[in-house]
Amino acid sequence: MISGRRAGTSGARRRDFRPLPCGKPDDRGCSAATLGELLRCRGTRSNCRSFELSRGALMRCPRCHYENPDGYAYCGGCGRKPSDITAARPEPETAERNVEATRYLCAAMHFDSALARIVVENVLEEPRRAVAQSPAVDLDAVCRHAVAARRRHTVRDIALAGLLIGFIVYTVVGPGLSLGLGVVFELFDAVLGGVVYLAVLGWGIVFAEGYLARWGATASSLRHKAFGSAGTPPVRGALARGQMPHVSRNADGNITIYQGYNPFLGHGWSVRGWSFAIDITKPGRADDPVDTFTVADLYQRLNKSITDLDVPGIRVYDRLFVNGADAHHDDRFVPDPEDCPVDSIDEATMTALMAHPEDHARPYLATEIIGWNGEFVWSAFIRLVISDTSLFVEVNYCVLPPLREIYHEIDDLLLRPALKPVLRLMWGSLRALPRLALRCIPNSLHYVLGPWRFRRKLRRQLDEIEQSFTFDHGAVISIREAASDLRRHKGQLSLGYQRHFQLLDEQMYTKTVEKRVIDTLGDYLAEHNIATAELRRRAEQIVNSNVSIGGDVNLVNSAIGGQSAVVSMAATHSGRKPTES
């Protein structure tokens, strides 16, 4: 919106202003009095650069790093108030713990070419879809590294494709130029010798790319204690640069617009859950009437109670979940059907949805606990519905397992390549050569035709919006989920815990938050003179249904939980495979 310039440090500090194009100069920065005025001015942002700050301090926005004048009312980059940005930022200690998860995920972009391609094509090339939240991860840094890795992988594929095409041309045309009876033998010799040369040169190309990924300049910035957002590679492509603000806004938003069946996209896989309904018309003291209450007050009480838990890395906030197809016809979530959906909703809309539930838009009180340097994320989603006679409580637990162990390779590499890692890379490059050779030509054509594919995708989506009844604006994938460690056993996927204590932490977080939720509900209902005997019975059923027994146990004529025990959600984890559109 407005631009500041640093001048020389000599002389007294002063501010010189020129009027903005709107004719309302303001000594605090932009003249826009409201956020709406600022958003309307964003279309002429380049014209507003006539405003100059020749002397005075510049304040960098902690969210988008845009330089604003001291005392600015709204950020010229992201349009947020300074107070809102500060409130949304994690505590410094928590942010420091989460750096490792971002660092490993950035390294994953360089080590896994398929993952980098999925991120670029399903996140940065989807301007009409939402971006899934990734807890404990800086999506801006991850996307920047994905673009850089994708560029290097493309150079490798083009080099292999050129080598393969040259070999084919030489094999077909070269021997045919010579005459005589030895054409067949010359062809055989050319193929046999060419295959050897082709394999050696191709091996060298694959090895060189892998060497740069592990010991190049970018790899040095991904090492422990050297990683930082300031060292992320720049985004060169115009398309990716245009999507980066969209990614950053969604990363800090309070709404999830998803595709498919599972609403908790980005928060991992559902491990269990429970729900019950209790009568709120029975008074606890027969002589006194029941005190009425609102669902907003109960949400607020739960928020404060869970936040007060002495658990490191805990965060409690409101979050709305909407299916991308349902959001298409709702201008609260998709103001322009031909554009991307909103990344946040205001507090008034969230409170209204809590008080008056809708089928397609479900607000939840989200609790996140981030541990293991950001690699393990446990989440609970609490939903309350109050009618004239009952209170319905729903709780879902989700877990983001650690990143795949192969992405931790960046920590095993020395600053200077040693013999053993180099030999291991040479062997790995040789094993990967046949697969890369088969895919190099299709991958190269895929990249070269990228601008045409993107325009075709936009036209196809626009036709779908104009001609069809609906369009799914939901996020295609979750970057964090796509890199998670999942184990396949007997045809089923399970969470890939890499330490036994991570499984124990999941149980500890579940039981700790579960107890606090039930205790808070009991205290709140008792304060409003509502009988809590039914709540206590339900709580016993929930606790009994979640009992974990380890070791060898023989039960004879025994039962756990009683005949009315709650049947909890099965702890199976259906893998959510990323799909390309």
Side-chain angles (χ1 to χ4, degrees), residues 27-43:
D27 61 354
R28 295 180 59 83
C30 177
S31 62
T34 64
L35 178 59
E37 291 183 11
L38 181 139
L39 295 177
R40 286 192 293 272
C41 293
R42 293 185 73 177

Side-chain angles (χ1 to χ4, degrees), residues 446-507:
H446 189 82
Y447 178 80
V448 172
L449 299 177
W452 175 80
R453 286 188 301 100
F454 178 71
R455 290 192 296 269
R456 183 171 177 269
K457 176 195 294 186
L458 293 184
R459 286 196 302 268
R460 185 174 66 250
Q461 292 179 354
L462 184 60
D463 292 341
E464 185 177 351
I465 292 172
E466 293 177 348
Q467 300 176 14
S468 302
F469 176 73
T470 188
F471 175 78
D472 197 337
H473 292 270
V476 179
I477 65 162
S478 164
I479 299 177
R480 178 61 176 83
E481 287 182 3
S484 296
D485 190 355
L486 297 177
R487 312 288 174 81
R488 185 175 293 277
H489 179 67
K490 294 182 179 180
Q492 294 185 351
L493 291 175
S494 62
L495 303 182
Y497 292 120
Q498 298 165 3
R499 302 289 187 275
H500 177 65
F501 295 135
Q502 293 169 344
L503 174 60
L504 298 183
D505 285 349
E506 176 203 330
Q507 299 174 4

Side-chain angles (χ1 to χ4, degrees), residues 98-146:
N98 299 345
V99 165
E100 291 298 282
T102 301
R103 184 171 69 90
Y104 288 131
L105 195 51
C106 290
M109 299 298 119
H110 297 275
F111 296 155
D112 191 341
S113 59
L115 181 61
R117 175 176 171 176
I118 288 174
V119 170
V120 171
E121 295 185 2
N122 292 281
V123 177
L124 295 179
E125 294 184 1
E126 288 290 351
R128 292 194 175 105
R129 302 187 193 273
V131 178
Q133 187 193 30
S134 292
V137 170
D138 183 358
L139 286 182
D140 183 89
V142 172
C143 289
R144 288 176 181 273
H145 279 276

Side-chain angles (χ1 to χ4, degrees), residues 272-577:
R272 63 174 61 90
W274 50 267
S275 63
F276 60 77
I278 59 175
D279 189 354
I280 58 175
T281 61
K282 297 180 180 180
R285 300 179 301 275
D287 298 336
D288 298 327
V290 172
D291 295 335
T292 60
F293 62 93
T294 64
V295 69
D297 292 338
L298 185 50
Y299 269 119
Q300 186 176 2
R301 179 71 170 268
L302 282 171
N303 191 327
K304 184 180 183 305
S305 179
I306 299 174
T307 303
D308 291 341
L309 283 172
D310 187 16
V311 177
I314 191 169
R315 180 191 175 207
V316 186
Y317 64 101
D318 298 325
R319 190 162 194 86
L320 183 68
F321 295 89
V322 185
N323 186 275
D326 298 332
H328 178 70
H329 302 285
D330 196 328
D331 57 6
R332 294 175 300 177
F333 313 126
V334 184
D336 183 359
E338 298 181 6
D339 201 355
C340 62
V342 299
D343 55 88
S344 296
I345 62 170
D346 55 73
E347 185 178 353
T349 303
M350 184 75 75
T351 303
L353 289 171
M354 290 178 176
H356 306 285
E358 297 181 6
D359 294 336
H360 304 303
R362 299 289 178 100
Y364 284 83
L365 181 66
T367 300
E368 289 177 2
I369 301 179
I370 300 172
W372 295 85
N373 293 326
E375 287 204 76
F376 175 82
V377 182
W378 178 94
S379 302
F381 300 96
I382 305 170
R383 179 171 173 258
L384 307 172
V385 179
I386 297 179
S387 65
D388 294 337
T389 59
S390 64
L391 167 65
F392 175 78
V393 183
E394 171 196 343
V395 180
N396 299 276
Y397 303 115
C398 296
V399 170
L400 266 175
L403 298 168
R404 297 172 193 165
E405 289 185 286
I406 190 175
Y407 302 150
H408 294 197
E409 182 185 357
I410 191 69
D411 289 340
D412 300 330
L413 302 174
L414 301 176
L415 293 177
R416 295 182 180 179
L419 179 60
K420 188 175 180 179
V422 171
L423 293 177
R424 189 185 303 115
L425 177 60
M426 294 176 66
W427 172 243
S429 301
L430 184 61
R431 292 177 58 187
L433 179 60
R435 171 177 55 84
L436 295 176
L438 290 175
R439 299 179 181 178
C440 63
I441 295 180
N443 288 346
S444 300
L445 291 175
H446 189 82
Y447 178 80
V448 172
L449 299 177
W452 175 80
R453 286 188 301 100
F454 178 71
R455 290 192 296 269
R456 183 171 177 269
K457 176 195 294 186
L458 293 184
R459 286 196 302 268
R460 185 174 66 250
Q461 292 179 354
L462 184 60
D463 292 341
E464 185 177 351
I465 292 172
E466 293 177 348
Q467 300 176 14
S468 302
F469 176 73
T470 188
F471 175 78
D472 197 337
H473 292 270
V476 179
I477 65 162
S478 164
I479 299 177
R480 178 61 176 83
E481 287 182 3
S484 296
D485 190 355
L486 297 177
R487 312 288 174 81
R488 185 175 293 277
H489 179 67
K490 294 182 179 180
Q492 294 185 351
L493 291 175
S494 62
L495 303 182
Y497 292 120
Q498 298 165 3
R499 302 289 187 275
H500 177 65
F501 295 135
Q502 293 169 344
L503 174 60
L504 298 183
D505 285 349
E506 176 203 330
Q507 299 174 4
M508 177 183 68
Y509 296 150
T510 299
K511 291 176 172 58
T512 301
V513 175
E514 190 173 85
K515 184 177 186 303
R516 178 57 61 92
V517 170
I518 293 174
D519 290 347
T520 303
L521 290 174
D523 294 342
Y524 189 86
L525 295 179
E527 292 172 4
H528 290 75
N529 194 30
I530 297 175
T532 59
E534 185 179 2
L535 175 63
R536 289 196 297 268
R537 290 195 300 269
R538 299 290 186 181
E540 291 175 358
Q541 295 169 5
I542 293 169
V543 172
N544 290 337
S545 67
N546 289 335
V547 170
S548 298
I549 300 177
D552 297 328
V553 178
N554 295 322
L555 300 177
V556 180
N557 296 329
S558 302
I560 296 177
Q563 61 181 2
S564 60
V566 175
V567 179
S568 61
M569 186 181 301
T572 57
H573 318 289
S574 59
R576 189 184 295 113
K577 297 181 180 180

